[in-house]
Amino acid sequence: MPAWSKMRIREGGDRIQTAQSFKRFNESRRNNTFVRYEVELAIEDEPTEVIAIQYGRLERILVCGLGPQTIWKKLRHSVLLLAVITPAKTNGEDAALTTTQFSNFGVSIVTDLRNVKASIGTVETRKCWGIIDRAVGTAKTAFVFDQGDHEPTGSEDEEEDPEDPGSDFGMA
């Protein structure tokens, strides 16, 4: 079965490579093989499915061409892109919301490549790995002044415009 070694998420998203290609070619470069992926979980006696956020190492990307057999139903004559991922054991924590660490991996899984949402960072600390997930919508920049600090107001000659929010930061 054909395999890809790299991918990029659409619309300016992350560039991700497989662990297999990283080991072969780029051991001295940044490791971008760890990913955030989402899977739908069916909960017993619940009418709706839950989306679970997971983390793991992208091992391979498989290109699976399906033939004309009727067993494939609507997928006949199509190509599926499959991600082989070794999941990190994170107890279901979302690293974009809370400090998340792992020290072990689970058994590899195969999922649709479209379930891979982003590249994540990992940092080794205290005999385990911390996950850095910079998911869009969860991290925001904020400017906060302590009571002892003086807010910049620009030059003394300029008047502050109460309608211009930038004037609080000397950007008017």
Side-chain angles (χ1 to χ4, degrees):
M1 182 177 301
W4 291 355
S5 60
K6 297 177 185 177
M7 68 169 270
R8 183 170 186 168
I9 295 176
R10 283 184 160 179
E11 299 174 15
D14 297 329
R15 291 181 182 171
I16 304 168
Q17 67 184 31
T18 63
Q20 184 179 28
S21 71
F22 181 77
K23 290 175 190 170
R24 212 173 353 164
F25 300 115
N26 300 315
E27 288 189 24
S28 63
R29 294 183 55 172
R30 182 176 67 93
N31 184 345
N32 60 344
T33 63
F34 285 86
V35 296
R36 172 188 180 135
Y37 64 100
E38 297 176 358
V39 292
E40 289 185 13
L41 300 176
I43 299 176
E44 193 172 322
D45 299 328
E46 291 290 326
T48 60
E49 294 181 342
V50 175
I51 294 178
I53 295 170
Q54 303 288 319
Y55 301 95
R57 185 176 54 228
L58 180 63
E59 302 293 344
R60 298 184 76 195
I61 300 170
L62 303 176
V63 181
C64 181
L66 302 179
Q69 297 85 358
T70 56
I71 191 171
W72 304 120
K73 298 183 182 183
K74 292 180 183 179
L75 295 175
R76 287 179 11 190
H77 300 289
S78 64
V79 175
L80 297 180
L81 299 177
L82 304 173
V84 179
I85 299 173
T86 303
K89 292 186 177 181
T90 61
N91 297 319
E93 294 176 340
D94 184 347
L97 303 175
T98 184
T99 302
T100 304
Q101 299 175 337
F102 71 96
S103 56
N104 295 317
F105 288 98
V107 177
S108 293
I109 62 147
V110 177
T111 187
D112 191 313
L113 186 61
R114 292 175 291 186
N115 291 336
V116 174
K117 302 302 180 189
S119 174
I120 60 156
T122 56
V123 178
E124 189 172 16
T125 176
R126 299 182 187 149
K127 298 183 182 179
C128 63
W129 291 89
I131 294 176
I132 301 168
D133 185 352
R134 54 180 176 64
V136 175
T138 57
K140 296 179 183 174
T141 304
F143 295 97
V144 179
F145 291 99
D146 291 336
Q147 289 180 349
D149 290 344
H150 298 287
E151 295 183 20
T153 58
S155 71
E156 304 243 347
D157 297 344
E158 295 177 7
E159 285 188 33
E160 256 185 60
D161 180 359
E163 299 295 316
D164 182 7
S167 66
D168 291 342
F169 298 100
M171 297 180 209

